[in-house]
Amino acid sequence: MSRRSGILEFAVLGLLREAPMHGYELRKRLNTSLGIFRAFSYGTLYPCLKTLVASGWLIEEPGSAAEEALAASLAGRRAKIVYRLTAEGKEHFEELLSHTGPDAWEDEHFAARFAFFGQTEREVRMRVLEGRRSRLEERLEKMRASLARTRERLDDYTLELQRHGMESVEREVRWLNELIESERAGRDQRPQSSPQQDNTPGETGGLPRHGETETSGGTPPGSSTRPDPSDDTAK
């Protein structure tokens, strides 16, 4: 399994842990709520779902009565399939949440992990945040050393581009420092889990809640969903 497909499977399991969804809902949440998937191919989602079903982590169910009636009224259309997390799938996702190895510190995987920090134990959050900070500090040191070696050979625009990259990394390190201090202070990230969500973390902590977002702690929705005329039907 590639790293990219592994991140997608993780995100799908995490979203379905909140509530069952059909494929279009999943595509929309991945596209608008989890920013790292804004450019992912729609053709990769359904093979991912089929793999998760075959693994026993998801089950396919027919849509609601309203969706059945709508589908029946459309010639040639069949009912939407709803994907639901199984008990084994929930257990697998919780196991994935507990992982804190180097993969969790990389750019895309960290963004997906951070999106589900509200479902993650405080101790695990701390290890992931500290690992990410360590990785970025190493990156920043290499960037500074490279800039010092090549400064005299760079034109003004290339030099500004490298400085911009360094400033971006420095900003993220400062942001991580703030998050780590917030975790240590033990401030509540979530006042209470939503009744329909089965996502109770072992310990509260982290950032105060500044505003509602469409995802559980992920990137706020800020871009429109690409139109997709296809329907989620049983194949």
Side-chain angles (χ1 to χ4, degrees):
M1 180 174 62
S2 69
R3 177 177 296 180
R4 182 73 174 178
S5 62
I7 298 171
L8 179 58
E9 290 184 7
F10 173 84
V12 167
L13 291 172
L15 290 174
L16 290 176
R17 190 174 190 264
E18 297 176 0
M21 301 181 200
H22 53 70
Y24 177 75
E25 290 175 305
L26 276 169
R27 289 200 301 267
K28 183 178 179 181
R29 292 291 302 276
L30 289 166
N31 186 273
T32 62
S33 302
L34 302 182
I36 60 173
F37 295 105
R38 284 175 185 154
F40 90 110
S41 169
Y42 288 132
T44 64
L45 177 58
Y46 287 102
C48 173
L49 290 170
K50 294 300 182 183
T51 297
L52 295 175
V53 170
S55 299
W57 297 329
L58 301 182
I59 57 173
E60 298 177 330
E61 298 178 339
S64 66
E67 288 176 333
E68 294 279 2
L70 177 61
S73 68
L74 300 174
R77 300 283 184 91
R78 289 178 289 177
K80 292 178 181 291
I81 293 174
V82 173
Y83 295 91
R84 182 185 297 274
L85 197 66
T86 64
E88 293 80 5
K90 177 184 175 184
E91 182 178 349
H92 179 63
F93 179 68
E94 290 173 349
E95 180 184 350
L96 293 176
L97 279 179
S98 70
H99 291 175
T100 59
D103 281 351
W105 311 338
E106 300 299 337
D107 295 343
E108 289 187 340
H109 207 151
F110 173 76
R113 289 298 302 270
F114 190 82
F116 297 100
F117 260 23
Q119 304 179 35
T120 307
E121 298 282 350
R122 181 188 296 169
E123 181 181 350
V124 174
R125 293 197 300 260
M126 284 291 292
R127 289 200 298 267
V128 173
L129 289 172
E130 289 173 344
R132 174 65 175 175
R133 180 176 63 181
S134 176
R135 178 60 50 84
L136 289 182
E137 287 173 342
E138 292 173 2
R139 184 182 301 174
L140 190 57
E141 183 177 350
K142 292 178 181 178
M143 293 172 74
R144 287 169 175 162
S146 175
L147 183 60
R149 288 193 307 269
T150 61
R151 181 187 300 271
E152 300 301 326
R153 300 195 299 271
L154 299 177
D155 61 61
D156 290 344
Y157 296 102
T158 305
L159 185 60
E160 284 304 312
L161 184 61
Q162 291 207 8
R163 285 174 176 167
H164 173 70
M166 287 177 54
E167 289 171 358
S168 297
V169 177
E170 289 169 345
R171 281 195 300 271
E172 186 170 349
V173 169
R174 290 195 296 269
W175 174 68
L176 289 167
N177 286 334
E178 293 172 0
L179 291 175
I180 290 168
E181 289 306 313
S182 295
E183 292 289 344
R184 288 174 177 163
R187 289 180 289 181
D188 290 341
Q189 179 180 10
R190 288 173 172 233
Q192 186 176 352
S193 295
S194 175
Q196 67 265 31
Q197 292 180 351
D198 180 20
N199 57 358
T200 306
E203 294 182 76
T204 58
L207 293 175
R209 189 169 185 153
H210 295 295
E212 295 291 334
T213 62
E214 192 176 349
T215 188
S216 56
T219 304
S223 62
S224 59
T225 305
R226 183 172 61 182
D228 184 1
S230 66
D231 204 13
D232 303 311
T233 60
K235 304 296 181 185

